[in-house]
Amino acid sequence: MSWIKNLVRISQTTSSSVGNVFRNPESYTLSSRFCTALQKQPDTETVQAKDVVNGLESQRYDGLAPTKEGEKPRVLVLGSGWAGCRLMKGIDTSIYDVVCVSPRNHMVFTPLLASTCVGTLEFRSVAEPISRIQPAISREPGSYYFLANCSKLDADNHEVHCETVTEGSSTLKPWKFKIAYDKLVLACGAEASTFGINGVLENAIFLREVHHAQEIRRKLLLNLMLSEVPGISEDEKKRLLHCVVVGGGPTGVEFSGELSDFIMKDVRQRYSHVKDDIRVTLIEARDILSSFDDRLRHYAIKQLNKSGVKLVRGIVKEVKPQKLILDDGTEVPYGLLVWSTGVGPSSFVRSLDFPKDPGGRIGIDEWMRVPSVQDVFAIGDCSGYLESTGKSTLPALAQVAEREGKYLANLFNVMGKAGGGRANSAKEMELGEPFVYKHLGSMATIGRYKALVDLRESKEGKGISMAGFVSWFIWRSAYLTRVVSWRNRFYVAINWLTTFVFGRDISRI
């Protein structure tokens, strides 16, 4: 009978330790691969407080320790946007281990994001998982992706402090951990600019992430359905069916064009009771599409007016739950408000004690380095040239971020092959040619199978600029080839074909 008593004792001990996992999840690591990597490093810093449960001890590891001789140097990338993902795609994983920290596990193909708001494309068609962009993150023992935010940067010790992202206070308490790096790349992007206007954050929807597009689509379809409810007043119906877009840049114009197409082709067929009440207003303080050729801008204005988009020149003074107020006192009721007025430095970037460019972004030199610290680089929308370089800050465009990521990946590969991959090993290394940006042009769709294509290097430069159906075909072809993976190219092509044959999906899911 003694063996039965031993079996019961073992069962009780195991049950207690399993229960401790759910009562105290912080005492366990983020992933089994993470745990394995840490256990291979006996000198890893650990939190020495140990939980003793029925004689069993459990340790909580504090993070990834500095790399040792014989191990690959570690490149830590903060962010999963255009710049960070292009860097991870191009880096040589036979030289480096890659660790990515980001609150999202995918890259968003932003040029097509507006199309998902009205059902032209499905959301998954514009999202590319990080593990597909750089397979080593899910395969190599020293490479990881962590769903987390960076809370603190300790450049002197080559270490960042992170905190996992959870879905709210009702879920698990966030873990805090540290990651040591040999090379750190800040590619954390920017956030939407509100210019300090009251009510924008509380009432407007931005268009930068997939969840923003999902929110816009749900709100739009909800307003369409509520407007048909018996007994609703005429004024309330008009408010619900008034879609207001603030910002006349490419994103705002493209969304207005997609919305007008949706109204003319789908709403008029499936919501015939309210088809004459739905309206779109585009508000811009200056000229729409100011970076495009004047001829193209006038063409865009003409086509948007034909599509029923009302253009209003004005400055938003305040945003209230059901209306916004312009600087001249005009009140504009709305049912859906989309805010697309450009981007600025994020709160994390502002908190960093680094030199900044004139716009408040992280200051860099011609090789993407942050000059005040060792082994820290910055690319994408979060960075800009220091005034001492004599260069003007590049625009916050996807093509700029992507080419900066490609340049830095090639630079890291050269440094790694020359023995400069480890921390503090490239101080005296010659880095070669600095980064040079050449603008490839701009494109924007304006609805009704029309688009603008401006291939000039600058607004004052010479080059090809065109508008119309041929431009629309070029726009679609170019972006289809730029979608990251063949899987998503197939998704996008099938979505376009399905929408053309059967119309847009108006299910509110």
Side-chain angles (χ1 to χ4, degrees):
M1 296 297 290
S2 61
W3 66 272
I4 297 179
K5 293 179 180 180
N6 290 335
L7 182 61
V8 171
R9 189 180 299 112
I10 292 171
S11 175
Q12 291 173 341
T13 301
T14 304
S15 176
S16 299
S17 63
V18 170
N20 184 56
V21 173
F22 295 95
R23 288 193 298 271
N24 186 21
E26 290 188 359
S27 63
Y28 292 83
T29 58
L30 294 173
S31 68
S32 58
R33 275 205 312 141
F34 190 21
C35 180
T36 302
L38 293 169
Q39 289 172 344
K40 290 179 180 179
Q41 304 176 51
D43 60 341
T44 300
E45 290 186 20
T46 60
V47 176
Q48 295 300 324
K50 299 181 179 180
D51 299 320
V52 181
V53 182
N54 292 334
L56 295 180
E57 294 183 343
S58 64
Q59 278 188 337
R60 176 174 138 202
Y61 287 94
D62 217 9
L64 293 178
T67 56
K68 302 176 182 179
E69 289 296 329
E71 297 176 340
K72 290 187 285 187
R74 180 182 300 135
V75 174
L76 174 59
V77 183
L78 302 183
S80 56
W82 282 85
C85 286
R86 185 61 185 86
L87 167 77
M88 288 187 283
K89 180 180 180 181
I91 203 163
D92 189 344
T93 54
S94 66
I95 301 175
Y96 295 100
D97 282 330
V98 180
V99 176
C100 177
V101 173
S102 175
R104 68 182 189 198
N105 71 340
H106 59 274
M107 170 191 162
V108 180
F109 193 80
T110 47
L112 297 179
L113 189 59
S115 298
T116 66
C117 299
V118 294
T120 306
L121 296 177
E122 288 305 316
F123 303 111
R124 198 166 295 278
S125 301
V126 299
E128 189 68 39
I130 294 173
S131 58
R132 287 183 177 271
I133 295 172
Q134 179 47 267
I137 284 179
S138 57
R139 296 175 185 173
E140 296 294 326
S143 296
Y144 305 94
Y145 163 75
F146 296 130
L147 186 72
N149 282 313
C150 177
S151 56
K152 180 183 176 184
L153 171 56
D154 185 355
D156 293 333
N157 294 316
H158 280 62
E159 191 174 65
V160 296
H161 298 234
C162 302
E163 184 173 297
T164 57
V165 173
T166 59
E167 294 296 328
S169 59
S170 61
T171 61
L172 292 174
K173 183 180 178 182
W175 284 280
K176 293 183 179 181
F177 58 98
K178 302 176 185 177
I179 302 176
Y181 63 83
D182 293 288
K183 297 286 184 285
L184 172 64
V185 180
L186 301 171
C188 40
E191 61 185 28
S193 296
T194 64
F195 305 103
I197 300 172
N198 291 332
V200 175
L201 291 174
E202 296 81 4
N203 302 300
I205 305 175
F206 304 103
L207 187 52
R208 294 182 53 78
E209 303 285 351
V210 171
H211 66 85
H212 293 150
Q214 291 172 327
E215 187 178 358
I216 291 171
R217 184 166 171 177
R218 287 178 59 83
K219 182 73 171 178
L220 177 62
L221 294 174
L222 176 64
N223 289 350
L224 281 168
M225 290 182 281
L226 289 178
S227 64
E228 292 188 312
V229 174
I232 191 170
S233 68
E234 197 65 27
D235 288 342
E236 180 65 5
K237 179 188 290 187
K238 289 182 178 179
R239 183 191 69 80
L240 287 171
L241 295 176
H242 189 199
C243 304
V244 176
V245 183
V246 179
T251 301
V253 169
E254 288 189 335
F255 175 71
S256 299
E258 288 281 356
L259 195 54
S260 66
D261 273 1
F262 174 65
I263 292 169
M264 297 182 70
K265 297 178 182 177
D266 299 271
V267 172
R268 291 185 181 276
Q269 291 181 6
R270 306 178 194 185
Y271 291 93
S272 58
H273 300 98
V274 297
K275 64 182 181 181
D276 297 325
D277 296 312
I278 189 165
R279 297 170 296 144
V280 181
T281 298
L282 176 61
I283 300 175
E284 170 56 42
R286 299 181 182 86
D287 296 324
I288 69 167
L289 300 173
S290 57
S291 62
F292 282 75
D293 178 74
D294 289 339
R295 181 178 62 85
L296 298 184
R297 288 197 308 102
H298 293 312
Y299 179 86
I301 292 171
K302 181 180 177 181
Q303 291 299 319
L304 289 172
N305 286 330
K306 281 185 179 181
S307 300
V309 178
K310 181 182 178 182
L311 301 178
V312 174
R313 177 172 291 188
I315 299 174
V316 178
K317 182 180 179 181
E318 184 181 2
V319 177
K320 295 185 177 181
Q322 296 184 356
K323 65 181 179 181
L324 58 83
I325 302 172
L326 301 180
D327 57 342
D328 61 359
T330 304
E331 295 185 352
V332 183
Y334 65 85
L336 172 66
L337 176 61
V338 177
W339 195 269
S340 176
T341 58
V343 296
S346 65
S347 56
F348 172 69
V349 168
R350 292 194 299 268
S351 71
L352 295 175
D353 189 22
F354 292 153
K356 303 295 197 304
D357 79 337
R361 303 196 284 185
I362 300 170
I364 57 172
D365 64 11
E366 298 93 327
W367 293 273
M368 308 290 121
R369 297 177 300 185
V370 179
S372 57
V373 289
Q374 282 293 322
D375 299 318
V376 178
F377 300 77
I379 54 177
D381 295 350
C382 71
S383 65
Y385 288 123
L386 290 167
E387 288 185 286
S388 58
T389 64
K391 293 190 174 185
S392 57
T393 297
L394 297 173
L397 299 175
Q399 62 174 295
V400 175
E402 183 183 30
R403 292 166 71 186
E404 286 180 343
K406 181 180 180 180
Y407 169 83
L408 191 56
N410 293 333
L411 181 62
F412 278 1
N413 293 340
V414 172
M415 292 169 59
K417 292 175 182 177
R422 296 208 173 275
N424 299 312
S425 63
K427 291 181 179 180
E428 307 299 329
M429 184 173 289
E430 181 65 36
L431 298 182
E433 294 294 325
F435 175 74
V436 177
Y437 173 69
K438 182 179 179 182
H439 189 60
L440 299 179
S442 303
M443 296 186 290
T445 179
I446 53 178
R448 301 180 67 184
Y449 303 108
K450 303 289 193 303
L452 312 177
V453 175
D454 191 348
L455 301 182
R456 299 171 305 155
E457 289 188 29
S458 65
K459 190 174 181 179
E460 295 77 22
K462 295 183 179 180
I464 299 173
S465 60
M466 62 179 73
F469 176 78
V470 174
S471 298
W472 174 84
F473 183 79
I474 294 173
W475 174 84
R476 280 210 164 181
S477 302
Y479 281 139
L480 184 62
T481 60
R482 298 301 298 163
V483 173
V484 178
S485 68
W486 280 103
R487 184 193 72 157
N488 277 22
R489 289 173 195 166
F490 179 77
Y491 281 166
V492 169
I494 292 299
N495 287 167
W496 279 341
L497 178 61
T498 303
T499 298
F500 179 77
V501 176
F502 300 108
R504 293 170 177 83
D505 181 12
I506 60 170
S507 303
R508 185 174 183 267
I509 300 175

